[in-house]
Amino acid sequence: MTNMPACASNNGMSSQENTAQQMVSDPTLVHVLVRFLSGCSTNGTSQHSSQVGPTATQAMHEFLSRLQVHLSSTCPQMFSEFLLKLMHILSTERGPFQSGQGPLDAQVKLLEFTLEQNFEVVSVATISSVIESITFLVHHYITCSDKVVSRSGSDSSVGARACFGGLFANIIRPGDAKAVCGETTRDQLMFDLLKLVNLLVQLPLSGDREFSGRLPPAGSGAADSSVSDEEKVCGSKESVAGGSAFSQGPPAGVADLVLANQQIMSQILSALGQCNSSAMAMIIGETNHRK
């Protein structure tokens, strides 16, 4: 993982914007959020409740939204990098996502908020780390299930974790069917993590392949792989001159880097081979198609 990026200049920045930058740059904030999302109390003990309730989750959402707003005009990619760093810590091996620790409602709320963000001009090293940790987590979640089978999502006779169909409940379960236990919520967590991977692999690369590029506007042509020097300074401690914006063939993307990563691809293919669920083929197959 890369160090938290710093913006090029504080000139003309309001006190709130400056404070937001300092908070996001301070590793203490990540530590506090990880403790909350891991279910750790102030005295360091683990809280085993799977829910913290709507008041706490909404407070977390509003806090992150305010940070985003204050950084949106000065260095939006700084906030994106911060979120991805948090995702990496939570989804890494033996982290709260894998160990099943922490409030699931708050974790899902965080992921839903993350899926709304723009990850253009973000360090490729950070993006790759997040994709690698999520694919390992989902692979572990699937392959460690007692038995992975394809079933109707409305069938409540089996645990969701023992049925891969439950992992993609948003696709095959009726919209008015609500989760009645934490297990299904954990399926939702895994589903949203896969959605994040699908989002990240669609990103193009900058000319020097050190940052994600800009996605093309809807209905337009190829993605813009050019990244300004100012944006690079905001996304990294160093500004590296990019390559030519014009190249033969389609521009390189994050998917190309993932495709070349043997460990990630083997985990995706192994997970795919564990299940006959058509929902799984649709989501993970879509990931492979983008690669």
Side-chain angles (χ1 to χ4, degrees), residues 34 37-40 46 86-102 107 132-134 136-138 140-141 186 190:
V34 169
L37 294 162
S38 301
C40 293
S46 295
L86 180 60
M87 282 291 109
H88 176 257
I89 295 173
L90 294 171
S91 59
T92 194
E93 187 175 3
R94 298 185 181 88
F97 286 172
Q98 186 186 88
S99 61
Q101 296 178 335
Q107 292 171 355
E132 185 170 352
S133 62
I134 290 177
F136 176 84
L137 171 64
V138 175
H140 179 271
Y141 183 77
R186 182 158 169 78
M190 297 296 162

Side-chain angles (χ1 to χ4, degrees), residues 141 145-151 158-165 183 187:
Y141 183 77
S145 297
D146 294 335
K147 184 178 181 181
V148 183
V149 294
S150 176
R151 284 185 183 261
V158 294
R161 192 175 178 208
C163 171
F164 197 92
E183 193 71 26
D187 290 340

Side-chain angles (χ1 to χ4, degrees), residues 125-142:
T126 301
I127 293 173
S128 298
S129 296
V130 171
I131 293 175
E132 185 170 352
S133 62
I134 290 177
T135 53
F136 176 84
L137 171 64
V138 175
H139 172 266
H140 179 271
Y141 183 77
I142 296 169

Side-chain angles (χ1 to χ4, degrees), residues 170-289:
N170 280 9
I171 299 176
I172 63 177
R173 179 176 292 136
D176 57 350
K178 302 298 183 182
V180 295
C181 64
E183 193 71 26
T184 303
T185 307
R186 182 158 169 78
D187 290 340
Q188 178 64 47
L189 179 71
M190 297 296 162
F191 178 77
D192 286 343
L193 284 169
L194 280 177
K195 287 170 66 176
L196 179 58
V197 171
N198 270 326
L199 178 66
L200 295 175
V201 298
Q202 296 179 56
L203 293 168
L205 293 175
S206 62
D208 54 22
R209 296 195 172 207
E210 293 192 4
F211 299 89
S212 55
R214 300 184 189 85
L215 287 168
S220 68
D224 183 4
S225 63
S226 61
V227 178
S228 70
D229 287 340
E230 182 177 354
E231 288 172 317
K232 287 182 179 181
V233 170
C234 195
S236 176
K237 297 172 79 173
E238 296 180 354
S239 177
V240 182
S244 173
F246 302 98
S247 60
Q248 297 296 325
V254 172
D256 296 298
L257 302 180
V258 174
L259 185 61
N261 189 310
Q262 184 177 359
Q263 181 178 2
I264 291 177
M265 292 305 300
S266 64
Q267 289 171 348
I268 291 176
L269 295 174
S270 175
L272 184 62
Q274 292 290 322
C275 182
N276 297 319
S277 169
S278 59
M280 176 182 182
M282 179 166 61
I283 297 296
I284 296 187
E286 177 67 13
T287 302
N288 280 321
H289 173 72

